C-alpha cells in the first residue's frame, strides 16, 4: 500500500505545476485521492467522523493552497467532508432511533446519492444545513459525537502510520468508513457521468435549425451538442476559436467529425455574428454561489454581446463545478495569468524587452489571463446534471451539496463542529 | 451655405411644376438659376454617376427632385398631377444632374412636355427613368431598357416636339458622341417623327448612357455585359428596322456597352418592349429607396456568372462558403496573385501603376483605409499623367471610362473600402466638371492637383487636425486602450507622447491579422509604455482603462462605426465598463449609407488564415477538415459598432457625437460638390 502522503505530494505537485487540465479531471483525481486517504485512515473508536474530517481537511487545505484558482479541488474536498458528516449523521440518527434501523441506513444513503441527491439531501438534513445556520446548533440537537470530537486532539488526524489494533473496530466504525467510501465512489461516478447527464437534456433545449454559438472548447458542450445531434436535431454551430489557446479549433474538428454543421469564426467576429445566433452555449470553469461564472477568457465579452441581442446565454456545468463561495473581485482573485509566449513570440519581441524607462520595469507588458468572470445577470440558464436552474437559484442548489461547516477548509484547534 | 441653397431653389420650381409639394412662390426665383447652372456646368459627361449616388442623408422630398428640374429650363409648363411620377423618378442628386443633365436635358424636356399633354403616368416614369439612371450611379442599370422603351412611348404620346427641339439641339450639340449613337428603337421612332428634333432627343439618351459607365461597383462588369447583350439585340432589331439604323448600329456597340447596367428586372425590357411597364414600376420603387450603392449580391447566380466572365482577376470559388454570407464574394485566396502576375503583359488597358496597386492589395502589402486610398489615388494620378485622349473622344468621358475600368480592376483585387469609394467619387466628379474649354494638358494638370489636394487636405491634413483634437482628451495618468492598428490613433499617441503626457497604452489584438503587434512594436520603439493583450482579455483589462481610442474604416450616417472586426466587441465591453469610447476617423470616410448589422455588407478575408497557425502543431490537422462540407471558416474583415457604444467621434470637423454624423456627411457632400 503506497503511502498516502506520497500520493498527496504527487498530486500537489501536479496541481502546482498546472499539469491537470480541466476541472473535471481535477475533480475526479481529487476525489480518488481523498478516497484512498479515507480508506487508509485509522479511526478511533469514539470519534470516527471527527477523525476523518480532520484528516480530509488537513489534506484538503494543502490541495486548495496548491491551486487556489482550481475551485473544483475545494469543491470536492468540501463535498467529501459533507459526505462524512451526512453519513455520520444518518448513522447516529439510526443508532438513536433504534438498532433495528441501522441496517436500513445503508440503503438510505444510497438513495441519497443515487436517486435523488437533491431531494433526499434536503429531506434528511438539509433543513438544518442548507440554511447555513451555525453548526453547533445541529450538533447540540442531534448528536453528541461531533461535540465529543472537539476535545480530541487531532493527532490521529493528519497521517496515521501507527499500526494500532483498531483493525478490529466496532461494527459501527467500520460501517461509517465503508459508507463514506461508498458515497465517495458515487461522487466519483457522478463526476465521470456528469457529461452524459447534462447531455441528456440537450434535446429539450435545442430545436431544429437552431444556430448556436460557443467559444473555446469544453467537453461538456461537445457532448451536449452531439447528444442533440444524435437525436436527429439538425442545427448549426458557430465556434469562436478562443484565444489564446484556440481550442475552438479542436472543438470544431470534433463537431465536424460528428457531422455537425460547424463554422469557425475568430473571437473578434463574435459581436458581428451574435445577431444571427439563437443561443449561446458555453462551458464553465466554476459556478459561484451567487450564480456568477468563472469561465474561460472571452466569455464575458460573449455574454455582453448576447445580452445586447437578447440571445440566451446558457452555461453547462457539472455539479463538481458548483462552488459554495461567493466571489469577491473574481476577475483578479480568481484568475490566473498565463505565459505571454502564447500571445507574443519571445524571439520576436526580445528587443522590445530591453527598453527600460529608468524605473527598471520594461515598457512592454503582456497580459494573458485565463479566466473571465461572467456576472449572474448576464447568464440566462444553468444546466447542471440535476436540471436547469436560474442563476438566482444556484445558492440553494449549492447548499444541498455542501455543509456550512466546511466553507472554510482550515484546520483550527477547534475544528468547526 | 450658398452652394447649398442654390440647389434647393432649383428644386423648388420643379416641385411647383408638380403642383404637389412646393408652394409656388418659392419656385419663381429658381428657373434662371437653373438655366445658368446647367448650361455652365454642363460638360456633356454625365459620368459622375457614382458621385451622383450621394443623397444627402437627410432627405426632404422637394430637394430630391431638384435635379429633374434643372434641366428644364422651360419652366415646367404643364403642371399636371401626373407629373408627380416623373418627378419622383427624376434623379435625386443635384450634383449628378449637373453633369448628366445637359445632354439629357432636351430629352427630359420633351418628355415632360409629353407628360403634360396627358400621357399615362407609367409612360412618364419610363421616360424619365433613364435620366435618373444617369444621375444615380446606383441606378444606372435602369437605364438601357427604359431608354428604348421610353423612345417608343414618346411617339405614342403624340406630343409636339417643336419646343423640345429648340432647346435640345443646342444642348446636344455639346456632346460629341451623341449624334452618332442611336439606339435602334429610337431610330425607328425618329423616322416616324417629323423632325431632326426628335432625333436629337433620342441621341441624348445614348450620350447620357455612356457616362454611366463610371459606376464603380462590381455591378459594373455585369452591367457591361448586359449592355453588350442589349446592344446586340438592338443591333439585330436595327437590322430589321431600316437603313438609317445601319450607320447607327456600327457606332452603337460602344454606347450600348457603356450604357452600363440595365437593372436586372429591366434588362430584358430593352429587348422585349412588352415588359416595360412592370419594369418601370419596379424601377420607380427602386428609386424611392435611397440605397446609395446597389452592391453586387453574390447570391444572384446569373449576375455573378456574368461578372465572372468579365473579370480580369480569375477567382475560384471558395469550397465551403458560409451560408449567411452567400451575398458576398467568397473566393479562394492565393490563387489570383500568380495568375495576375502572369497576365501582366496581356492587360494592356491597365495602367502599370494601377496594376501594381491592385497586386499590392491582393497580396495584402497595402492595408489600412488611408494607405489603400492614398495608394489608389496616386496610381490614378500616374495614370492620368500618362493619359492621352484618343482621337474622336472627349477627355472627360474617356477618362472616366478609364478610371472606371481601373476601379473595377482594383475592386476585383480587393473589394473597395468605403473611403476609396468616396475618393473615386470625388475624382469622377472632378473629371466631369472639367470645363470643356480646357486643353488636355490643362485638364490633366487640374485633375492631378485635385488629387493632390484631396490627399493632402482630406487625408493628411485631416489626420493632423484629428490628432490635435484627440490629444486634448489625454490627461496625465490615463490608460488608453486601442484595438488593431488604427493609423490616426497611432499618430495621436505618438504626438501625445512627444508632448510629454504621461500615459499608458493597451494594445488589444486579435487573430488572424495580428496588426496590433506591428503597432506595439512601433509604439514601444518610440518609448511608450505598452501593454499587449488579445481581444478575449479585453474585459479583464478594461478595469484599468480610462479611455478607448478606436479607428474606423468608415462611419455610416446612422452613426454606426464600420471598422476592423472586433472593434464592436471592444466598444461594447468599454460601454459595459463605462469607459468612454472615442473614434478617430477622417471625414472623407463618412458615408451616407446606413447599416444595422455586420452581415449585409462586409468583406470576407481568406478563410485559410483562420485554419493556419504559425507554430502550433496540434492545430495543424484542422486543414484536413477544410475539405469537409460541414466545416466552414469565416474570416470577417469588418463589423459594425452600434452608435450607442460610441461616446464621441473625432474628425477633422471637430469632435462630434455619433448622432451628428449625418450632418457631417451632408455638409461634406456639399463642399465636395461645390468646390
Amino acid at each position: 500500500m503506497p503511502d498516502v502522503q506520497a500520493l498527496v505530494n504527487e498530486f500537489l505537485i501536479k496541481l502546482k505545476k498546472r499539469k491537470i487540465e480541466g476541472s473535471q479531471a481535477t475533480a475526479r483525481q481529487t476525489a480518488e485521492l481523498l478516497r484512498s486517504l479515507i480508506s487508509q485512515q485509522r479511526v478511533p473508536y469514539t470519534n470516527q467522523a471527527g477523525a476523518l474530517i480532520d484528516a480530509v481537511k488537513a489534506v484538503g487545505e494543502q490541495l486548495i493552497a496548491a491551486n487556489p484558482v482550481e475551485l473544483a479541488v475545494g469543491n470536492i474536498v468540501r463535498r467529501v467532508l459533507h459526505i462524512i458528516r451526512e453519513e455520520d449523521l444518518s448513522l447516529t440518527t439510526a443508532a438513536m432511533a433504534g438498532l433495528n434501523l441501522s441496517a436500513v441506513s445503508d440503503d438510505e444513503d444510497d438513495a441519497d446519492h443515487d436517486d435523488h441527491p437533491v431531494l433526499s439531501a434536503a429531506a434528511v438534513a438539509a433543513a438544518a444545513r442548507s440554511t447555513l445556520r451555525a453548526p453547533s446548533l445541529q450538533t447540540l440537537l442531534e448528536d453528541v459525537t461531533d461535540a465529543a470530537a472537539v476535545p480530541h486532539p487531532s493527532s490521529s488526524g493528519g497521517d496515521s502510520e501507527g499500526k494500532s489494533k483498531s483493525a478490529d473496530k466496532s461494527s459501527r466504525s467500520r460501517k461509517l468508513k465503508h459508507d463514506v467510501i461508498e458515497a465517495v465512489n458515487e461522487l466519483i461516478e457522478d463526476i465521470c457521468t456528469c457529461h452524459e447527464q447534462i447531455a441528456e437534456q440537450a434535446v429539450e433545449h435545442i430545436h431544429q435549425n437552431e444556430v448556436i454559438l460557443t467559444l473555446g472548447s469544453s467537453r461538456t458542450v461537445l457532448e451536449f451538442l452531439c447528444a442533440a445531434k444524435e437525436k436527429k436535431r439538425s442545427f448549426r454551430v458557430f465556434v469562436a476559436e478562443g484565444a489564446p489557446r484556440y481550442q475552438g479549433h479542436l472543438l470544431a474538428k470534433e463537431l465536424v467529425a460528428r457531422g455537425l454543421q460547424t463554422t469557425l469564426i475568430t473571437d473578434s467576429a463574435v459581436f458581428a455574428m451574435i445577431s444571427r445566433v439563437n443561443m449561446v452555449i458555453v462551458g464553465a470553469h466554476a459556478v459561484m454561489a451567487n450564480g456568477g461564472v468563472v469561465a474561460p477568457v472571452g466569455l464575458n465579452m460573449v455574454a455582453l454581446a448576447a445580452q445586447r441581442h437578447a440571445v440566451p446565454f446558457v452555461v453547462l456545468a457539472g455539479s463538481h463545478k458548483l462552488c459554495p463561495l461567493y466571489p469577491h473581485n473574481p476577475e483578479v482573485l480568481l484568475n490566473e495569468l498565463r505565459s505571454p509566449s502564447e500571445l507574443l513570440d519571445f524571439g520576436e519581441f526580445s528587443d522590445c524587452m530591453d527598453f527600460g524607462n529608468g524605473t527598471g520595469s520594461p515598457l512592454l507588458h503582456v497580459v494573458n489571463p485565463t479566466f473571465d468572470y461572467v456576472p449572474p445577470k448576464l447568464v440566462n440558464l444553468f444546466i447542471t446534471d440535476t436540471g436547469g436552474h436560474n442563476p438566482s437559484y444556484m445558492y440553494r442548489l449549492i447548499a444541498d451539496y455542501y455543509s456550512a461547516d466546511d466553507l472554510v477548509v482550515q484546520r483550527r484547534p477547534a475544528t468547526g463542529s | 451655405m450658398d452652394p447649398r441653397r442654390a440647389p434647393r431653389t432649383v428644386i423648388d420650381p420643379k416641385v411647383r411644376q408638380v403642383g404637389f409639394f412646393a408652394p409656388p412662390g418659392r419656385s419663381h426665383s429658381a428657373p434662371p438659376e437653373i438655366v445658368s447652372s446647367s448650361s455652365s456646368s454642363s460638360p456633356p459627361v454625365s459620368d459622375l454617376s457614382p458621385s451622383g449616388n450621394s443623397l444627402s442623408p437627410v432627405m426632404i422630398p422637394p430637394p430630391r427632385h431638384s435635379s429633374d428640374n434643372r434641366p428644364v429650363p422651360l419652366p415646367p409648363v404643364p403642371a399636371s398631377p401626373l407629373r408627380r411620377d416623373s418627378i419622383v423618378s427624376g434623379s435625386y442628386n443635384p450634383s449628378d444632374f449637373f453633369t448628366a443633365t445637359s445632354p439629357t436635358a432636351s430629352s427630359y424636356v420633351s418628355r415632360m412636355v409629353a407628360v403634360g399633354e396627358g400621357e399615362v403616368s407609367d409612360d412618364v416614369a419610363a421616360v424619365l427613368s433613364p435620366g435618373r439612371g444617369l444621375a444615380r450611379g446606383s441606378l444606372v442599370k435602369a437605364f438601357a431598357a427604359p431608354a428604348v422603351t421610353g423612345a417608343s412611348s414618346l411617339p405614342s404620346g403624340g406630343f409636339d416636339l417643336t419646343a423640345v427641339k429648340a432647346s435640345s439641339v443646342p444642348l446636344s450639340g455639346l456632346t460629341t458622341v451623341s449624334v452618332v449613337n442611336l439606339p435602334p428603337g429610337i431610330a425607328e421612332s425618329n423616322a416616324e417623327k417629323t423632325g431632326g428634333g426628335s432625333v436629337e432627343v433620342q441621341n441624348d439618351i445614348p450620350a447620357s448612357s455612356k457616362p454611366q459607365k463610371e459606376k464603380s461597383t462590381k455591378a459594373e462588369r455585369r452591367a457591361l455585359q448586359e449592355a453588350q447583350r442589349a446592344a446586340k439585340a438592338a443591333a439585330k432589331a436595327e437590322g430589321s428596322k431600316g437603313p438609317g439604323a445601319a450607320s447607327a448600329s456600327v457606332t452603337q456597340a460602344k454606347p450600348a456597352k457603356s450604357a452600363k447596367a440595365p437593372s436586372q428586372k429591366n434588362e430584358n425590357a430593352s429587348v422585349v418592349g412588352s415588359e416595360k411597364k412592370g419594369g418601370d414600376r419596379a424601377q420607380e420603387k427602386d428609386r424611392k429607396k435611397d440605397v446609395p450603392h446597389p452592391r453586387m449580391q453574390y447570391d444572384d447566380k446569373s449576375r455573378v456568372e456574368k461578372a465572372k466572365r468579365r473579370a480580369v482577376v480569375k477567382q475560384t470559388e471558395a469550397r465551403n462558403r458560409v451560408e449567411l454570407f452567400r451575398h458576398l464574394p467568397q473566393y479562394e485566396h492565393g490563387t489570383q496573385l500568380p495568375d495576375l502576375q502572369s497576365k501582366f503583359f496581356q492587360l494592356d488597358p491597365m495602367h502599370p501603376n494601377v496594376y501594381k496597386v491592385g497586386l499590392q492589395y491582393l497580396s495584402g502589402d497595402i492595408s489600412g483605409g488611408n494607405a489603400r486610398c492614398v495608394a489608389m489615388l496616386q496610381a490614378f494620378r500616374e495614370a492620368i499623367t500618362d493619359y492621352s485622349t484618343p482621337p474622336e473622344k472627349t477627355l472627360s468621358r474617356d477618362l472616366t471610362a478609364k478610371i472606371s475600368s481601373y476601379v473595377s480592376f482594383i475592386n476585383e483585387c480587393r473589394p473597395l473600402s468605403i473611403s476609396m469609394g468616396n475618393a473615386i467619387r470625388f475624382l469622377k466628379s472632378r473629371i466631369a466638371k472639367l470645363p470643356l474649354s480646357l486643353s488636355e494638358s490643362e485638364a490633366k494638370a487640374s485633375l492631378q492637383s485635385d488629387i493632390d489636394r484631396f490627399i493632402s487636405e482630406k487625408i493628411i491634413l485631416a489626420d493632423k487636425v484629428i490628432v490635435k483634437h484627440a490629444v486634448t482628451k489625454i490627461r496625465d495618468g490615463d490608460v488608453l486602450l486601442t484595438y488593431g492598428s488604427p493609423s490616426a490613433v497611432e499618430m495621436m499617441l505618438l504626438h501625445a507622447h512627444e508632448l510629454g503626457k504621461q500615459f499608458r497604452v493597451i494594445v488589444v489584438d486579435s487573430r488572424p491579422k495580428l496588426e496590433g503587434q506591428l503597432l506595439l512594436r512601433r509604439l514601444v520603439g518610440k518609448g511608450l509604455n505598452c501593454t499587449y493583450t488579445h481581444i478575449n482579455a479585453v474585459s479583464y483589462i478594461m478595469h484599468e482603462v480610462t479611455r478607448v481610442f478606436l479607428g474606423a474604416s468608415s462611419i455610416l450616417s446612422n452613426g454606426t462605426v464600420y471598422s476592423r472586426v472586433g472593434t464592436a466587441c471592444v466598444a461594447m465591453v468599454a460601454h459595459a465598463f463605462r469607459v468612454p469610447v472615442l473614434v478617430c476617423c477622417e471625414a472623407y470616410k463618412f458615408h451616407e449609407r446606413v447599416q444595422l448589422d455586420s452581415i449585409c455588407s462586409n468583406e470576407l478575408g481568406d478563410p485559410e488564415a483562420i485554419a493556419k497557425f504559425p507554430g502550433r502543431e496540434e492545430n495543424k490537422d484542422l486543414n484536413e477538415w477544410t475539405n469537409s462540407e460541414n466545416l466552414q471558416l469565416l474570416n470577417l474583415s469588418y463589423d459594425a459598432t452600434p452608435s450607442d457604444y460610441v461616446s464621441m467621434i473625432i474628425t477633422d470637423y471637430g469632435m462630434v457625437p455619433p448622432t451628428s454624423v449625418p450632418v457631417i456627411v451632408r455638409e461634406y457632400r456639399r463642399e465636395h460638390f461645390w468646390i
Side-chain angles (χ1 to χ4, degrees):
Chain A
M1 100 175 184
D3 194 1
V4 185
Q5 191 57 40
L7 283 178
V8 169
N9 287 339
E10 189 189 341
F11 189 61
L12 280 177
I13 287 170
K14 273 201 219 161
L15 279 179
K16 279 182 184 159
K17 290 187 175 173
R18 311 292 193 259
K19 289 281 187 203
I20 308 175
E21 287 280 335
S23 49
Q24 197 221 7
T26 319
R28 189 170 44 78
Q29 293 186 33
T30 311
E32 281 165 1
L33 179 75
L34 293 178
R35 182 179 60 186
S36 55
L37 173 78
I38 291 170
S39 65
Q40 294 183 27
Q41 179 70 42
R42 312 278 169 185
V43 286
Y45 281 107
T46 46
N47 183 23
Q48 306 100 332
L52 283 181
I53 286 174
D54 276 347
V56 171
K57 273 193 176 175
V59 174
E61 201 181 347
Q62 300 175 46
L63 294 182
I64 292 171
N67 187 354
V69 175
E70 185 52 271
L71 295 166
V73 175
N75 297 344
I76 295 304
V77 171
R78 292 186 184 95
R79 284 188 69 170
V80 170
L81 291 174
H82 179 63
I83 286 169
I84 297 172
R85 288 180 203 276
E86 288 285 304
E87 297 299 337
D88 184 43
L89 179 65
S90 63
L91 275 185
T92 37
T93 43
M96 288 169 83
L99 288 173
N100 56 342
L101 281 186
S102 61
V104 185
S105 69
D106 204 355
D107 296 340
E108 223 172 63
D109 297 332
D110 285 345
D112 259 349
H113 298 277
D114 230 357
D115 300 330
H116 336 275
V118 183
L119 289 182
S120 63
V124 176
R129 231 157 270 108
S130 61
T131 52
L132 305 185
R133 73 196 160 105
S136 58
L137 189 54
Q138 168 198 349
T139 46
L140 279 180
L141 287 178
E142 291 174 356
D143 198 24
V144 280
T145 29
D146 273 357
V150 178
H152 266 272
S154 51
S155 62
S156 65
D159 345 302
S160 62
E161 292 91 29
K163 292 257 185 260
S164 68
K165 292 127 231 139
S166 52
D168 53 352
K169 280 152 282 192
S170 71
S171 70
R172 199 185 140 201
S173 76
R174 191 178 288 142
K175 178 94 180 124
L176 175 70
K177 224 165 107 170
H178 175 256
D179 286 353
V180 167
I181 288 173
E182 282 293 301
V184 173
N185 279 336
E186 278 162 21
L187 174 65
I188 294 172
E189 184 79 359
D190 272 356
I191 293 170
C192 293
T193 61
C194 73
H195 294 315
E196 287 78 36
Q197 287 181 1
I198 293 175
E200 272 174 20
Q201 306 165 54
V203 264
E204 296 170 27
H205 297 281
I206 298 179
H207 63 70
Q208 194 71 17
N209 286 336
E210 185 130 18
V211 180
I212 291 167
L213 184 138
T214 185
L215 181 138
S217 177
S218 153
R219 178 139 173 256
T220 324
V221 172
L222 175 67
E223 303 273 340
F224 192 80
L225 296 177
C226 291
K229 170 71 181 172
E230 278 159 21
K231 296 274 168 55
K232 305 296 175 210
R233 288 286 145 80
S234 85
F235 53 95
R236 48 180 61 244
V237 185
F238 286 120
V239 182
E241 50 186 12
R245 307 185 61 202
Y246 305 109
Q247 292 195 319
H249 290 247
L250 303 178
L251 179 67
K253 210 165 29 172
E254 290 283 328
L255 289 176
V256 169
R258 310 219 190 165
L260 271 163
Q261 281 287 318
T262 310
T263 304
L264 187 66
I265 63 174
T266 54
D267 301 319
S268 46
V270 162
F271 188 87
M273 298 312 298
I274 198 115
S275 58
R276 299 298 182 271
V277 166
N278 300 128
M279 182 157 59
V280 178
I281 299 181
V282 296
H285 173 68
V287 178
M288 308 307 290
N290 65 348
V293 182
V294 177
V297 68
L299 279 181
N300 188 23
M301 187 177 81
V302 177
L304 283 170
Q307 188 198 37
R308 159 93 187 182
H309 292 275
V311 177
F313 187 84
V314 177
V315 176
L316 308 183
S319 59
H320 60 273
K321 295 186 179 177
L322 306 182
C323 178
L325 303 178
Y326 286 81
H328 167 67
N329 198 4
E331 296 89 342
V332 177
L333 297 184
L334 290 179
N335 214 332
E336 196 168 40
L337 295 180
R338 298 173 64 93
S339 160
S341 66
E342 287 178 340
L343 295 186
L344 280 187
D345 217 359
F346 280 134
E348 267 178 50
F349 275 82
S350 54
D351 52 332
C352 294
M353 301 296 177
D354 298 336
F355 295 101
N357 53 3
T359 60
S361 65
L363 281 177
L364 175 60
H365 297 264
V366 177
V367 178
N368 183 14
T370 315
F371 302 116
D372 243 357
Y373 175 70
V374 182
K377 63 173 183 185
L378 295 181
V379 181
N380 293 85
L381 186 68
F382 284 102
I383 299 179
T384 69
D385 31 10
T386 61
H389 303 283
N390 241 16
S392 56
Y393 184 73
M394 293 319 282
Y395 84 97
R396 186 62 188 76
L397 190 65
I398 282 165
D400 289 336
Y401 290 115
Y402 305 96
S403 67
D405 315 347
D406 306 321
L407 291 187
V408 178
V409 183
Q410 244 171 10
R411 266 190 315 159
R412 281 169 299 184
T415 319
S417 49
Chain B
M1 273 322 265
D2 282 339
R4 274 214 259 158
R5 210 160 269 169
R8 216 171 266 164
T9 57
V10 172
I11 294 157
D12 293 344
K14 171 120 204 208
V15 176
R16 185 197 47 146
Q17 248 186 348
V18 180
F20 236 85
F21 302 104
R26 269 202 264 157
S27 60
H28 292 303
S29 64
E33 249 196 278
I34 294 166
V35 174
S36 65
S37 68
S38 65
S39 62
S40 68
S41 68
S42 61
V45 186
S46 55
D47 303 359
L48 297 194
S49 51
S51 70
N53 302 348
S54 65
L55 303 179
S56 62
V58 185
M59 291 238 289
I60 311 162
R64 240 192 215 182
H65 310 286
S66 66
S67 59
D68 284 346
N69 288 338
R70 223 183 260 144
V72 187
L74 22 144
V77 212
S80 72
L82 295 180
R83 220 29 116 36
R84 191 160 68 107
D85 289 339
S86 67
I87 289 164
V88 175
S89 61
S91 64
Y92 299 160
N93 204 320
S95 67
D96 296 353
F97 222 74
F98 252 82
T99 58
T101 49
S102 63
T104 48
S106 61
S107 63
Y108 275 111
V109 174
S110 66
R111 279 160 206 167
M112 297 228 161
V113 174
V115 175
E117 304 218 354
E119 273 242 21
V120 185
S121 63
D122 283 340
D123 286 347
V124 175
V127 174
L128 290 181
S129 58
R132 177 245 194 173
L134 298 177
R136 294 185 66 197
S138 63
L139 294 178
V140 176
K141 40 182 173 166
F143 170 78
V148 177
T149 60
S152 64
S153 69
L154 284 179
S156 71
F159 49 88
D160 183 1
L161 282 181
T162 56
V164 177
K165 237 195 268 176
S167 67
S168 67
V169 174
L171 287 178
S172 63
L174 297 178
T175 68
T176 59
V177 194
S178 63
V179 182
V180 191
N181 315 329
L182 289 185
I186 293 168
E188 182 198 8
S189 70
N190 290 342
E192 294 176 16
K193 289 289 155 165
T194 56
S198 66
V199 176
E200 247 119 352
V201 174
Q202 314 293 7
N203 291 345
D204 293 344
I205 294 169
S208 60
S209 68
K210 181 170 195 180
Q212 291 175 350
K213 187 167 206 172
E214 284 62 53
K215 229 198 104 173
S216 59
T217 66
K218 284 210 172 171
E220 191 192 30
R221 287 173 286 154
R222 184 197 61 92
L224 251 184
Q225 277 185 324
E226 275 165 15
Q228 277 168 338
R229 205 170 61 170
K232 229 182 272 173
K236 222 187 272 169
E238 246 182 19
S240 66
K241 290 282 146 78
S247 64
S249 66
V250 180
T251 52
Q252 179 119 33
K254 191 184 141 216
K257 195 180 191 180
S258 61
K260 287 282 146 147
S263 69
Q264 314 144 255
K265 314 154 197 167
N266 292 339
E267 72 188 274
N268 296 331
S270 61
V271 184
V272 187
S274 64
E275 280 186 351
K276 73 185 164 190
K277 284 206 174 174
D280 295 335
R281 230 169 252 152
Q283 239 174 19
E284 217 180 347
K285 215 181 279 165
D286 213 346
R287 194 170 304 158
K288 278 175 193 158
K289 291 187 231 164
D290 309 325
V291 190
H293 286 293
R295 303 182 148 225
M296 172 102 169
Q297 299 296 309
Y298 282 77
D299 46 353
D300 184 339
K301 289 233 173 69
S302 60
R303 299 182 64 188
V304 171
E305 271 309 305
K306 285 171 195 155
K308 227 190 233 166
R309 257 178 277 144
R310 260 201 53 73
V312 177
V313 186
K314 210 167 66 192
Q315 314 249 34
T316 41
E317 290 264 303
R319 280 161 301 182
N320 292 324
R321 300 199 294 173
V322 183
E323 203 54 45
L324 264 177
F325 290 93
R326 288 258 172 206
H327 59 288
L328 297 177
Q330 299 187 38
Y331 294 125
E332 288 289 320
H333 286 247
T335 56
Q336 314 99 321
L337 193 54
D339 179 53
L340 260 191
Q341 277 164 344
S342 66
K343 265 203 266 177
F344 181 78
F345 293 105
Q346 299 160 25
L347 293 170
D348 33 298
M350 211 53 67
H351 189 276
N353 277 43
V354 176
Y355 199 81
K356 187 176 101 188
V357 170
L359 290 183
Q360 280 171 327
Y361 289 161
L362 197 55
S363 60
D365 289 346
I366 299 184
S367 64
N370 286 342
R372 280 169 73 196
C373 196
V374 170
M376 181 191 70
L377 284 175
Q378 275 166 351
F380 284 168
R381 191 180 185 281
E382 293 301 314
I384 289 175
T385 312
D386 299 344
Y387 171 84
S388 66
T389 317
E392 296 163 18
K393 290 189 180 171
T394 47
L395 174 133
S396 51
R397 219 173 279 165
D398 188 58
L399 185 56
T400 320
K402 263 268 186 325
I403 298 282
S404 297
S405 73
Y406 295 159
V407 167
S408 71
F409 167 76
I410 287 177
N411 194 29
E412 281 163 27
C413 293
R414 182 174 166 190
L416 296 179
S417 69
I418 292 177
S419 54
M420 290 161 74
N422 284 342
I424 292 166
R425 212 193 275 183
F426 166 80
L427 180 59
K428 285 189 176 170
S429 83
R430 297 311 301 172
I431 296 176
K433 281 185 215 162
L434 285 176
L436 278 181
S437 54
L438 280 189
S439 73
E440 185 182 312
S441 58
E442 282 169 334
K444 279 160 64 177
S446 133
L447 286 179
Q448 285 166 357
S449 77
D450 278 338
I451 291 180
D452 289 340
R453 199 158 45 98
F454 187 89
I455 293 177
S456 65
E457 277 181 15
K458 297 297 176 194
I459 302 179
I460 297 173
L461 214 67
D463 275 335
K464 286 200 176 121
V465 176
I466 289 174
V467 165
K468 216 177 75 198
H469 286 309
V471 157
T472 64
K473 295 294 160 198
I474 302 182
R475 295 169 306 192
D476 280 348
D478 263 348
V479 180
L480 312 176
L481 183 142
T482 188
Y483 174 73
S485 177
S487 58
V489 173
E490 182 182 347
M491 282 184 264
M492 185 267 295
L493 293 175
L494 292 178
H495 184 60
H497 184 67
E498 282 165 17
L499 291 183
K501 303 215 179 198
Q502 297 297 314
F503 60 93
R504 208 150 61 79
V505 182
I506 294 172
V507 179
V508 180
D509 205 355
S510 80
R511 263 199 9 116
K513 291 211 163 185
L514 295 177
E515 294 163 310
Q517 292 192 359
L518 304 176
L519 174 68
L520 181 72
R521 179 173 283 283
R522 291 193 293 262
L523 292 182
V524 170
K526 297 274 183 181
L528 275 80
N529 197 340
C530 293
T531 304
Y532 177 82
T533 190
H534 57 87
I535 189 165
N536 276 344
V538 70
S539 47
Y540 170 86
I541 205 83
M542 196 58 80
H543 289 279
E544 49 194 82
V545 174
T546 56
R547 298 247 188 297
V548 175
F549 281 93
L550 298 173
S553 165
S554 176
I555 295 185
L556 310 180
S557 91
N558 59 344
T560 300
V561 176
Y562 184 72
S563 187
R564 160 78 47 225
V565 65
T567 305
C569 289
V570 174
M572 172 187 67
V573 173
H575 181 75
F577 284 79
R578 310 280 192 274
V579 179
V581 177
L582 297 89
V583 177
C584 300
C585 183
E586 301 85 358
Y588 85 99
K589 292 177 174 174
F590 286 31
H591 199 274
E592 68 273 1
R593 208 169 65 186
V594 294
Q595 203 172 321
L596 287 174
D597 59 27
S598 319
I599 295 175
C600 292
S601 160
N602 210 320
E603 185 187 329
L604 298 185
D606 182 6
E608 297 293 318
I610 292 197
K612 247 181 252 153
F613 262 90
R616 279 178 194 262
E617 306 76 25
E618 73 262 37
N619 286 312
K620 284 224 174 101
D621 37 351
L622 190 62
N623 285 325
E624 77 199 34
W625 288 103
T626 51
N627 289 321
S628 159
E629 277 187 3
N630 288 329
L631 180 65
Q632 292 134 3
L633 303 170
L634 176 62
N635 185 2
L636 275 186
S637 295
Y638 296 101
D639 65 8
T641 309
S643 60
D644 48 347
Y645 291 155
V646 178
S647 322
M648 181 160 86
I649 294 172
I650 303 178
T651 174
D652 29 336
Y653 293 103
M655 297 179 270
V656 298
T659 46
S660 297
V661 173
V663 179
I664 290 196
V665 172
R666 186 186 160 101
E667 299 299 309
Y668 180 64
R669 281 296 155 248
R670 298 294 171 193
E671 175 189 322
H672 195 262
F673 289 133
W674 293 91
I675 285 175

